[in-house]
Amino acid sequence: MQPADAPKGLRVGRRHSWLIPSLVGGYLAVVTLFMVFVLHISVSPERFLLLMLIAALVLGRARLFLADWIPFLVLFLSYEYLRGLGGKLGMPIHDVTLLERLISFGHVPTLVLQQAFYQQGHLNWYDITATMFYFLHFAFPLGLAYLIWVVDRRTFLRFSRALIAMSFAAFVFFLLLPVAPPWKALPGVVKIIDNTLPSFTDIPGIPVPATVYHWLTPNQYAAMPSLHAAYPLLGTLFALRLWGRRAWPALVYTACVWLSIVYLGEHYVVDIIGGVIFTFAAFFGEEVFTQLWARRRAQREDAELARTARSSS
């Protein structure tokens, strides 16, 4: 069933309700894979915005897209800029290796996985696969948000609020309690993406960053909470709310991301737990906000009706 605010051209029957989202999702997936594997360029937020704008033009929703997505992207890039500044304030860096061993019965899952599977000097298919899951940090949540936007704009607006709120809350945590990732904190951990992803950040042959996002300075001490773990989980929760069991593949994707970031040495398991906590706080916090806002709006409407009744009597 189509949402009430969908344009007339997008109102389709229940039997065909998955046609447009499927076509849009396939388009985004194919173009994203082409950019990564053929053109060897990254799918930055700005580039992904252009891909989504093309689809919005085809769907006849360009103006609505710009109204909904430009503010969202500006806030998202603002968070990324501030996140980079957070690593330059001179706050003491924390090492959570002992906490990792505590929750993992004396082991460090990253070391266990790398010792079992990683082969120095030789790249295996799972090294590349794990890198791709890590690399789609922006593409998956943005693509999922776009599909939600196509189907139900109100759910998209709720998802975007939760995502931005969670991101800025994580920034405060990064600012006050910077945490080193495994590849920086623990000897013996290999930063595998240095070997699998040497230059998928800019257009080959151009010596300067080709997008606004790549001008932003990364924060190497923003490991906890893991937003690589939090973003797909938050998107999955909203997808499950909207589509029910049909969104279960998103859970599988999220699990693959979690396994990949631990294997690659980018995050501890405890970082993922932190990301999960932030995710549920953002998800249910947005639910409370929506209910309170609806209640306040209803009270205003009741008060306006009461004033109108008094003035007409």
Side-chain angles (χ1 to χ4, degrees), residues 100-112:
E100 181 79 347
R101 292 185 184 276
L102 179 64
I103 68 170
S104 303
F105 306 100
H107 299 283
V108 177
T110 295
L111 280 176
V112 173

Side-chain angles (χ1 to χ4, degrees), residues 20-39:
I20 292 178
S22 298
L23 291 175
V24 171
Y27 154 72
L28 292 177
V30 169
V31 176
T32 297
L33 293 175
F34 179 80
M35 291 174 64
V36 172
F37 287 106
V38 179
L39 300 181

Side-chain angles (χ1 to χ4, degrees), residues 234-285:
L234 183 65
T236 297
L237 292 176
F238 277 93
L240 288 171
R241 171 187 284 172
L242 183 61
W243 292 308
R245 291 182 296 177
R246 289 176 293 184
W248 282 3
L251 280 175
V252 177
Y253 173 86
T254 300
C256 291
V257 172
W258 292 1
L259 178 62
S260 297
I261 60 180
V262 173
Y263 169 67
L264 294 172
E266 299 297 324
H267 288 283
Y268 289 109
V269 172
V270 71
D271 299 336
I272 295 177
I273 294 174
V276 170
I277 293 172
F278 270 69
T279 299
F280 280 103
F283 182 75
F284 291 109

Side-chain angles (χ1 to χ4, degrees), residues 10-22:
L10 294 180
R11 295 179 186 269
V12 296
R14 179 182 296 273
R15 187 173 63 179
H16 302 289
S17 61
W18 275 88
L19 177 60
I20 292 178
S22 298

Side-chain angles (χ1 to χ4, degrees), residues 291-304:
Q291 292 179 0
L292 291 176
W293 182 262
R295 185 181 305 171
R296 182 177 181 183
R297 184 171 58 183
Q299 291 173 348
R300 287 181 175 178
E301 292 175 353
D302 291 342
E304 182 65 27

Side-chain angles (χ1 to χ4, degrees), residues 40-239:
H40 288 191
I41 59 176
S42 67
V43 188
S44 65
E46 311 99 290
R47 288 171 179 156
F48 212 73
L49 177 73
L50 292 177
L51 298 180
M52 294 186 292
L53 177 58
I54 292 172
L57 287 169
V58 174
L59 296 175
R61 305 177 71 181
R63 289 186 178 180
L64 186 61
F65 173 82
L66 293 175
D68 288 343
W69 281 85
I70 293 298
F72 172 56
L73 184 63
V74 169
L75 288 171
F76 191 73
L77 290 176
S78 298
Y79 151 73
E80 287 291 328
Y81 173 74
L82 292 173
R83 184 172 70 95
L85 294 180
K88 300 180 179 180
L89 297 183
M91 300 292 288
I93 308 301
H94 297 270
D95 182 355
V96 297
T97 305
L98 291 178
L99 181 59
E100 181 79 347
R101 292 185 184 276
L102 179 64
I103 68 170
S104 303
F105 306 100
H107 299 283
V108 177
T110 295
L111 280 176
V112 173
L113 289 172
Q114 290 195 358
Q115 290 170 359
F117 295 103
Y118 182 66
Q119 300 176 20
Q120 187 70 40
H122 176 72
L123 294 181
N124 292 289
W125 65 267
Y126 47 80
D127 298 322
I128 304 298
T129 302
T131 301
M132 287 307 304
F133 280 116
Y134 178 84
F135 190 57
L136 293 175
H137 178 47
F138 298 116
F140 177 80
L142 291 181
L144 183 60
Y146 189 72
L147 293 182
I148 293 174
W149 178 78
V150 169
V151 175
D152 188 339
R153 178 173 177 260
R154 292 181 181 178
T155 300
F156 161 76
L157 294 175
R158 296 183 65 177
F159 171 67
S160 64
R161 286 197 298 264
L163 185 70
I164 293 300
M166 182 177 69
S167 298
F168 278 94
F171 161 70
V172 175
F173 194 94
F174 299 153
L175 191 68
L176 300 178
L177 293 170
V179 175
W183 64 269
K184 267 192 170 294
L186 191 60
V189 172
V190 179
K191 185 175 174 61
I192 296 178
I193 63 173
D194 282 348
N195 301 310
T196 59
L197 193 64
S199 59
F200 276 68
T201 55
D202 299 302
I203 297 177
I206 297 181
V208 297
T211 69
V212 173
Y213 175 75
H214 291 120
W215 284 100
L216 304 180
T217 304
N219 183 356
Q220 295 184 344
Y221 299 100
M224 179 190 288
S226 169
L227 293 186
H228 274 85
Y231 282 173
L233 179 59
L234 183 65
T236 297
L237 292 176
F238 277 93

